[in-house]
Amino acid sequence: MKKSVKYLMVSLVAILAIASCKKEINWNALGPNTSPGGNGNTGGEQNSEYYISYKANGEQISIKDVLANRNANESPRKLIVFGNKNQALQPKFKIYSEESIIGFEKGLNVGNSDFTAPAYYVEFTDKLGLLYSTANDTKGVYYFISDISYKKDGFVQGTFSGQATAANGSVINITDGKFKAKFSD
């Protein structure tokens, strides 16, 4: 009986510790873990209120055709941010996350790699159409939510960096990533 109570108490403490977590910790220090500040326009002004901006192997990419979806009526809820450079032309960029017990909130840092796919991943299609994905990469991409209003016509804003790998083994390094997207649903 004493042994059962002891295991019950240890289990309760473990559950409370997990439930009290506010965000994922970036143990590898691979991705950004601070807010980009202000309106997200530090380190290069954006010409649009909504954008995805990053460097792919040192080449600056700015995407203005950007949208976010919540899939709020599904379980688990989702966060999907995607953009096309010039109305369906390359390059394309996508962040996909299913909601965890923490939820989607300001200050959340999410790691995306082959370990987290298919629930969490980042995809990038270069200007030649080659698809890179964190589902093929052990290091992956981290993204940080610096601000969010998770409602219809709300928005999500943050930063990201890391790497993704194509099926042929090519690796792309993504740095200086910033995004702000309006929820369409």
Side-chain angles (χ1 to χ4, degrees), residues 86-98:
N86 293 314
Q87 308 235 349
L89 298 177
Q90 313 296 354
K92 297 179 183 179
F93 195 90
K94 178 179 179 182
I95 295 172
Y96 177 92
S97 291
E98 293 180 358

Side-chain angles (χ1 to χ4, degrees), residues 58-69:
E59 180 183 343
Q60 182 65 45
I61 309 288
S62 297
I63 300 174
K64 297 176 188 168
D65 186 11
V66 178
L67 193 57
N69 285 331

Side-chain angles (χ1 to χ4, degrees), residues 23 32-36 107-109 142-146 157-159 179:
K23 61 183 175 183
N33 57 9
T34 59
S35 169
L108 183 67
N109 199 18
Y142 283 83
Y143 76 85
F144 176 78
I145 297 176
S146 59
Q157 180 176 356
T159 58
F179 66 91

